[in-house]
Amino acid sequence: MTTKQIIFGVLSAFVFASCSNDEKVVFIYADETPVNPPVQATLKEKAKFKIGAAVKMKDLQGEVNYKNAVVKHYSQITAEYEMKMASIWTSSTVYNWTAADYLVNFAKDNNMEIHGHTLIWYDSFPDWFKNAKYDSIAFEAKVKIYITDVVGRYKGKVKSWDVANEVFADGGALREESVIKTVFKDPIGFYGRCFQYARAADPDAKLFYNDYSVVLDAGKRTAIKKMVTRFKAKGYPIDGLGDQFHYANDTNKQTMKTGFTDLASTGLLIHISELDIKVNTGKSDSYVFTDAEAQKQSETYQYITSMYEELPQNQKFAITTWGVTDKYTWLTAFWHPKEYPLLLDNDYNKKPAYQGFLAGLK
Ligand code: G3I
């Protein structure tokens, strides 16, 4: 007899003893089947910081399951493309706001934040701008107007921006292929002034520098920390640093943790800004995403989110996955068609990776 039944038995005896003969006692037996198991919290419900996903307007418009998954699991979105120069700055006299406005409004309508990605990226300058061959004075004057117009348009709506993305090459040298390096004798000074232009356009927006392999590449991390030091000395505003975290099942976890701790030592907000975990690390055409592989991926995600949770609360900003579903990951084109890097599968079901991500959250 279970404890519940004993208690119920005692209660019954008491009720009988206190009832007069003509009163009818009706017992409603407690249903023995267990109470419905508690519904698992979603990522955004459990996290004490924003959980973001890179999204595309066409997918939000075109697939209701995609939209529902974004709203259900995430509290922040990042435009995978639509808020970059190449998408907005279509000519020297025309801005195309349609897609950026759609995503800003989508976030507002669904009570989500939207992280602005990205104001200055060497890889997203539109061809008409590059072909104009502006000198440094004209170049900066036009970029200042662009930043002022874009950040100003979304003032109070886009509360954080990647002001600059991928300034440094592997090892920490300035990118050779960057148009900024060819135009400016002091590219870091130009970037610092771009942070100033963004601050002036929206004093409340959090301003980030974003790059990849930051926690793995000590040379790049040193260059970033040196830039932050110089920014602070020159009064250039910066609030946070993003490491994209495009990593893999076989990424060395100790190297990751050592670099992450070093990055956090800046004291700035830390954004894991484009998280995805490759599994087909050998780019094999015969790769199979087995349960064992899925479990390894889950453990990698758990390692990363529990590492992030070790940050002081005032340095936590967001963890953003670079995509919503394996079906639309950028990696099938960039890396290999047989790639399954995200938290939801092609049918928007939670993968073991989702459980691992969740388990790492406090
Ligand atoms: O939507 C337009 C279409 O209208 C146009 O006709 C066509 C012409 O090329 O371009 C389409 O836009 C594509 C866009 O994705 C939307 O799908 C661009 O060609 C294509 O270059 C763009 O790729 C994006 C890439 O950044 C370049 O902006 C990827 O989706 C996006 O995942 C990738 O994300 C970057 C981060 O911003 C920075 N970190 C690395 C990461 C991966 O490369």
Side-chain angles (χ1 to χ4, degrees), residues 226-275:
K226 194 175 163 194
M227 179 180 72
V228 169
T229 303
R230 180 173 170 195
F231 276 19
K232 289 182 174 173
K234 299 279 285 182
Y236 297 147
I238 183 166
D239 303 299
L241 296 172
D243 182 340
Q244 295 171 10
F245 265 72
H246 293 298
Y247 295 144
N249 259 353
D250 62 359
T251 299
N252 184 297
K253 291 179 172 60
Q254 189 51 56
T255 305
M256 189 192 289
K257 177 159 267 185
T258 302
F260 189 80
T261 304
D262 184 29
L263 187 65
S265 70
T266 59
L268 295 176
L269 289 170
I270 303 298
H271 184 196
I272 292 182
S273 58
E274 304 182 15
L275 178 58

Side-chain angles (χ1 to χ4, degrees), residues 55-88:
V55 298
K56 287 196 183 85
M57 178 178 74
K58 72 175 178 62
D59 298 330
L60 286 172
Q61 290 176 322
E63 197 167 324
V64 67
N65 289 335
Y66 178 96
K67 174 192 174 286
N68 291 343
V70 169
V71 173
K72 177 178 179 182
H73 299 288
Y74 297 96
S75 47
Q76 185 187 70
I77 58 174
T78 296
E80 192 165 355
Y81 175 70
E82 296 84 347
M83 293 177 78
K84 293 172 182 172
M85 268 188 188
S87 176
I88 293 175

Side-chain angles (χ1 to χ4, degrees), residues 267-285:
L268 295 176
L269 289 170
I270 303 298
H271 184 196
I272 292 182
S273 58
E274 304 182 15
L275 178 58
D276 43 34
I277 298 297
K278 291 187 280 292
V279 288
N280 186 1
T281 52
K283 294 188 177 181
S284 164
D285 292 340

